[in-house]
Amino acid sequence: RKKIIISGHQKLLEIKHVLNDLIKILEFHKNILIYFVGFNKPIEIFNNEKRVIYIKPNTYIKHLSDINNIKPDLALVPYRNIEFNHYKSNIKFLDYSFLNIPGIYSKITPYYKTVSHDINGILCKDDGKWFDEINRIINNKKKLLSLANQATMTVKEKYLLSNNLDLFNNISKKL
C-alpha cells in the first residue's frame, strides 16, 4: 500500500481546497492510505472511508516519530494562498526532507523559495492540480526516491548549522 500524509495542527479550512482531489485519489487508487497526522477530529467527507487514518496532535518530537513510523511515500502541504500563509516558515519541507519523504507543496512563499519544482519537491499552484501531481508520481518509485534524496541533500547543504557556521558567524558579527 502507498501512504500519503498531511500533517500539522491543521484546520479543515486550511485543506478544504484539496479534499475533492484526495477523494479522487482514493477512488482512482485502491492501494492508497491517507494519514492526517495532528488533526483534532475526523473530516466528515471521509467518515465511511477506511483508508483514511487520523493521528491526534502530539508534541513535536512525538509528531515526527509518528510520521517516521508511518513510513509515508508522499507528504502533502496544501496551504491556501492567503497572506498569512506567506509568512510561515518552510518547516514542513525541512521535517519531511530530514525524514527522506518526498513532498508536494503549495506554491506559496515559504516553499517556492526552497523547493525546486520536480527536483527536490513538487510545487502545486492550482487547487485542481493536486490530483494530477499526486497521480503523476505516486506509483513512480524512482521519481519519489529522487525527490526525497534531493530534498534531503538540500536540507543538509543549506539548513544544517554545521554546514553554515561561517554564515551564522558573519551574521552574528554584524549584530
Side-chain angles (χ1 to χ4, degrees), residues 130-155:
W130 288 86
F131 171 82
D132 295 337
E133 292 293 355
I134 296 166
N135 193 48
R136 178 173 72 89
I137 66 169
I138 194 64
N139 287 313
N140 186 340
K141 265 188 172 178
K142 187 176 178 181
K143 183 64 176 175
L144 291 169
L145 184 60
S146 174
L147 290 169
N149 289 340
Q150 289 295 318
T152 300
M153 279 184 23
T154 299
V155 169

Side-chain angles (χ1 to χ4, degrees), residues 16-74:
K16 192 173 186 178
H17 64 284
V18 298
L19 294 180
N20 286 335
D21 290 320
L22 295 177
I23 290 169
K24 282 171 50 178
I25 284 295
L26 288 169
E27 290 170 356
F28 198 75
H29 296 275
K30 299 302 180 190
N31 66 331
I32 286 186
L33 300 174
I34 298 177
Y35 288 80
F36 289 96
V37 182
F39 280 66
N40 284 314
K41 55 186 175 181
I43 300 168
E44 191 175 322
I45 63 168
F46 296 120
N47 278 351
N48 296 320
E49 180 55 68
K50 297 194 183 325
R51 294 175 295 148
V52 173
I53 299 151
Y54 300 91
I55 297 176
K56 299 261 186 219
N58 221 317
T59 65
Y60 180 66
I61 299 298
K62 180 74 170 98
H63 176 78
L64 291 179
S65 179
D66 288 342
I67 291 169
N68 195 46
N69 290 336
I70 292 167
K71 305 277 187 254
D73 297 283
L74 183 63

